[in-house]
Amino acid sequence: MNRKKKINQVLKAKVKKMNAKQQKTNKPKYISKAERAVIAEKEAQSNTLADDSSAVSTD
């Protein structure tokens, strides 16, 4: 009896894991602190370039 119970337990756990992997999650992908800093730096550069171009066009 214990052997059957253990086998069923293992099989149920595998099925549960497979179903969990197939579910779509709403959680956003993790971005490391270093990557966030790089992205912020790029955005800052693009904002300064946009500001410079608008200043030149208004002159």
Side-chain angles (χ1 to χ4, degrees):
M1 185 67 178
N2 286 334
R3 189 174 10 167
K4 279 186 181 181
K5 183 178 177 184
K6 185 66 175 179
I7 291 170
N8 284 333
Q9 219 175 19
V10 169
L11 292 176
K12 284 181 184 179
K14 283 186 181 182
V15 169
K16 190 175 179 181
K17 285 181 185 179
M18 292 293 286
N19 287 337
K21 282 187 178 185
Q22 289 178 351
Q23 296 298 319
K24 185 168 173 94
T25 179
N26 293 331
K27 186 176 175 183
K29 185 181 175 187
Y30 176 75
I31 301 173
S32 69
K33 192 173 184 180
E35 289 178 15
R36 283 182 275 170
V38 170
I39 292 170
E41 190 175 312
K42 285 182 183 178
E43 287 180 0
Q45 286 179 349
S46 66
N47 287 341
T48 57
L49 292 176
D51 293 340
D52 291 343
S53 65
S54 65
V56 171
S57 63
T58 57
D59 288 338

